[in-house]
Amino acid sequence: MNTEAPTVAELRARMHDYWWLFVIDGVVLALLGAAIFFISIFSPEEGIDLVDTIFGWLLMIWGVVSAVRVYYATQAGDPLIIWIAPIAIFILGLILAIMGGSGLVNLMWIFGLILLILGVLESISGFSMDQEHAPFAVLSGLLAVVIGVLILCFPKDAALLIAIFFGIGVFLRGLLFCWAGMLLRRPA
């Protein structure tokens, strides 16, 4: 039994026959990303709802995959606490998928509060650091406070920005998959 990891050339040779799957995946992602982007630009409420639903489903899938990974990776004596993350991820995804547009806005409130609290704590801790690192900690903390306050003042706008950037990211990932598929199409 060969236990050596395959080389890049071997992996490429194996995937050569399936190049078209990457292209199909890329086209679907690019179209989805473009749709999310344009829906978010021209109909912000619907864009936020769409991203909420997509994030919700992705988080639920991630929670299930994480639970399967935890199930197979754990031993009989492992603590039950390792199940908290997969269950929490799944529940968060379910809430986002069910709540619609208010879910992402609510996450912006939570994110804004977290940034505000962490920024204040980081700024305070910066005053107890040595003089070389203190300015960076204080500046980083103040920046987190400013961003947190902005998110708290404009949670819908922050959610819309997340939706727009999510659309751009999915579109670019689709183009990357198309490019990878075309590279795999060439003989090894």
Side-chain angles (χ1 to χ4, degrees):
M1 177 179 201
N2 187 4
T3 58
E4 292 181 24
T7 65
V8 172
E10 291 170 335
L11 286 174
R12 186 166 184 237
R14 287 184 205 166
M15 295 187 328
H16 172 73
D17 293 337
Y18 304 103
W19 65 270
W20 54 274
L21 289 173
F22 284 86
V23 173
I24 290 172
D25 197 10
V27 168
V28 169
L29 284 174
L31 290 174
L32 178 63
I36 292 169
F37 175 78
F38 286 113
I39 289 171
S40 297
I41 293 291
F42 295 113
S43 181
E45 294 290 327
E46 290 178 20
I48 292 172
D49 284 346
L50 180 61
V51 170
D52 259 355
T53 304
I54 291 170
F55 273 168
W57 280 100
L58 288 175
L59 286 174
M60 285 191 290
I61 292 168
W62 183 23
V64 169
V65 169
S66 295
V68 170
R69 180 184 45 80
V70 165
Y71 175 77
Y72 283 110
T74 58
Q75 305 300 320
D78 285 339
L80 291 177
I81 197 165
I82 59 175
W83 286 95
I84 291 175
I87 292 169
I89 291 168
F90 180 84
I91 291 171
L92 180 61
L94 184 63
I95 290 169
L96 270 179
I98 290 172
M99 288 181 73
S102 62
L104 193 57
V105 174
N106 289 338
L107 280 179
M108 291 300 101
W109 277 98
I110 293 168
F111 187 61
L113 284 171
I114 288 171
L115 276 176
L116 183 64
I117 292 167
L118 291 177
V120 168
L121 293 175
E122 189 172 3
S123 295
I124 291 171
S125 71
F127 290 110
S128 64
M129 292 181 168
D130 59 10
Q131 288 187 353
E132 182 181 351
H133 297 102
F136 297 111
V138 172
L139 182 62
S140 173
L142 291 175
L143 185 61
V145 167
V146 168
I147 293 171
V149 167
L150 284 172
I151 290 173
L152 288 172
C153 290
F154 308 103
K156 272 193 158 181
D157 295 329
L160 179 60
L161 281 175
I162 294 289
I164 290 170
F165 286 123
F166 181 72
I168 292 170
V170 171
F171 177 77
L172 292 175
R173 179 156 302 226
L175 294 181
L176 179 68
F177 272 51
C178 287
W179 179 65
M182 297 313 289
L183 287 178
L184 286 172
R185 183 176 184 214
R186 289 192 242 156

